[in-house]
Amino acid sequence: MSLKKVFILMLIAITSAFAKPTIYILATGGTIAGSSSSSLSSAYSSGTLTVDKLISAVPQISQIATIKGEQISNIGSQEMNNEVWLKLGKRINELLSSGQADGVVITHGTDTMEETAYFLNLVIKSDKPVVMVGAMRNSDSLSSDGPLNLYNAVSVAVSKEAVSKGVLVVMNDEIHAAREVTKTNTTAVDTFKSPNTGKIGSVIYGNAKFYMQPTRKHTKNSEFDISKINLLPRVDIIFSHSNDNPDFINTSVKNGAKGIINAGMGNGNVYPSALNALANAVQNGVVVVRDSKVGSGETTNPGEIDDAKFGFITSDNLNPVKARVLLMLGLTKTNDPKKLEEYFLAY
Ligand code: GLU
């Protein structure tokens, strides 16, 4: 090899060693992209700023990464749906597997962020960082939390330590694992918590540190594949309470639900007439997952209700909205309750 060629190869190696990672920001809407006519009002509209505006509002992110932006949707996350999930999941897989991106940051409303995070945690086929971020205060608010949250999210996405940790949620200086995180307060900036495990790391002005490792299967080790899927089966959530009735369960079955997550009382308990309706649902081929509305802890199998007797399966300690995501994906592969229960113990 000529001296000139060796020099050029060395130059390429040195340049790429110092090149900034490429991070794609995929914007879906939410309060982080929200605006208001007042800096002191809780009235505002979600999803009004475009991805370019979000990026230009935080020029510091371009110092740590080559930033590219794409608009996936621009909605309040209460409008999130399977179509956007599938589009988002497929696009992230494409960006990460082609090498176009070293990591992805998704801006998202906080209302359903935990659901999207867990969905992506199960369908992304890469160990590169995938980080979700939002804000509790819109861009016009006094002390808006969006800009620093976005800077911290990009910082986590370029961190070597974020590799192989599954999808992460970065909010309010904390890093949470997708399976564990949930929104716990309607308005507070420290709304995101992981009640069963705690946060897995922190990120203070871009300085990311991890203290824990998610142990349940995710991303590269997940068997769920959306590459050829355009529709997901209907799974409903039913909320249990005193003096309950079977009507919602019967309506759900009548309208073609393939699965029901019952957000039961305490350790997954159910009012007698509703319990009967759930047992009938199983007889009609609907998969019933016994879960809890409590917000933390396991739904044990058996508990006061013997799942084997009714043909139910247990959610382990997944909350109802995440159990819905796992059951939808599980039902794309099997209807066998035994196999589906294995998923609940593995993911
Ligand atoms: N409904 C809004 C959303 O989820 C508000 C929550 C937020 O982004 O903070 O998009």
Side-chain angles (χ1 to χ4, degrees):
M1 199 184 295
S2 74
L3 215 59
K4 191 177 163 195
K5 255 193 178 158
V6 172
F7 179 73
I8 291 171
L9 285 175
M10 275 172 65
L11 202 67
I12 292 172
I14 291 167
T15 321
S16 53
F18 287 99
K20 286 185 283 188
T22 299
I23 302 297
Y24 269 72
I25 297 185
L26 305 185
T28 68
T31 299
I32 193 166
S35 55
S36 172
S37 53
S38 161
S39 62
L40 288 171
S41 167
S42 57
Y44 71 99
S45 306
S46 270
T48 52
L49 302 189
T50 61
V51 66
D52 300 334
K53 280 259 159 50
L54 287 180
I55 293 171
S56 62
V58 192
Q60 294 86 343
I61 55 178
S62 300
Q63 289 162 15
I64 54 174
T66 300
I67 301 289
K68 301 201 189 262
E70 274 183 25
Q71 196 78 46
I72 299 290
S73 63
N74 212 356
I75 54 177
S77 73
Q78 61 272 37
E79 293 173 54
M80 193 46 69
N81 55 67
N82 295 351
E83 204 183 325
V84 179
W85 277 354
L86 290 167
K87 180 178 170 189
L88 190 57
K90 287 174 185 177
R91 182 62 182 141
I92 295 170
N93 278 333
E94 186 176 55
L95 287 169
L96 296 179
S97 67
S98 64
Q100 290 174 81
D102 298 304
V104 172
V105 168
I106 302 137
T107 59
H108 197 287
T110 57
D111 288 353
T112 58
M113 190 184 289
E114 66 197 86
E115 299 178 45
T116 304
Y118 189 52
F119 176 77
L120 296 176
N121 200 49
L122 298 177
V123 303
I124 297 301
K125 301 286 175 206
S126 169
D127 57 10
K128 291 180 183 171
V130 176
V131 181
M132 297 200 60
V133 67
M136 290 301 287
R137 297 177 180 150
N138 73 76
S139 65
D140 291 312
S141 158
L142 210 58
S143 287
S144 168
D145 53 336
L148 184 53
N149 282 348
L150 182 60
Y151 181 75
N152 280 338
V154 174
S155 303
V156 171
V158 300
S159 149
K160 296 255 178 306
E161 275 195 84
V163 171
S164 294
K165 297 239 175 2
V167 174
L168 300 168
V169 168
V170 168
M171 291 281 297
N172 196 44
D173 298 352
E174 295 189 346
I175 308 169
H176 291 265
R179 183 185 184 279
E180 310 301 334
V181 71
T182 189
K183 187 174 184 178
T184 64
N185 187 290
T186 52
T187 56
V189 290
D190 69 341
T191 181
F192 281 92
K193 304 282 177 205
S194 296
N196 288 311
T197 58
K199 66 182 180 182
I200 66 164
S202 66
V203 50
I204 316 283
Y205 293 110
N207 183 18
K209 286 185 188 163
F210 285 85
Y211 301 101
M212 305 222 273
Q213 180 85 32
T215 57
R216 289 301 180 101
K217 284 167 85 173
H218 60 74
T219 55
K220 263 177 100 171
N221 295 321
S222 166
E223 61 216 274
F224 302 113
D225 178 9
I226 54 165
S227 60
K228 295 187 183 68
I229 287 180
N230 296 315
L231 281 176
L232 291 166
R234 174 170 169 172
V235 174
D236 292 343
I237 300 175
I238 307 284
F239 193 91
S240 285
H241 54 87
S242 321
N243 203 44
D244 205 353
N245 65 68
D247 295 355
F248 287 115
I249 296 162
N250 292 337
T251 303
S252 169
V253 175
K254 207 170 116 204
N255 284 297
K258 300 286 179 268
I260 292 176
I261 310 295
N262 196 81
M265 299 173 266
N267 185 1
N269 289 315
V270 186
Y271 193 72
S273 59
L275 184 60
N276 249 342
L278 288 174
N280 286 336
V282 172
Q283 295 306 315
N284 284 305
V286 177
V287 177
V288 172
V289 175
R290 211 166 50 79
D291 203 330
S292 172
K293 66 178 184 181
V294 168
S296 66
E298 266 176 59
T299 304
T300 64
N301 174 15
E304 285 180 71
I305 294 173
D306 181 359
D307 290 322
K309 180 174 152 201
F310 293 99
F312 302 155
I313 62 180
T314 164
S315 63
D316 191 7
N317 68 356
L318 268 188
N319 74 17
V321 291
K322 293 190 201 199
R324 193 183 81 89
V325 170
L326 180 55
L327 185 55
M328 282 198 300
L329 287 169
L331 285 167
T332 64
K333 294 181 76 76
T334 179
N335 288 316
D336 176 7
K338 279 240 154 343
K339 182 72 203 155
L340 289 163
E341 182 148 44
E342 280 169 25
Y343 292 150
F344 276 89
L345 297 175
Y347 287 93

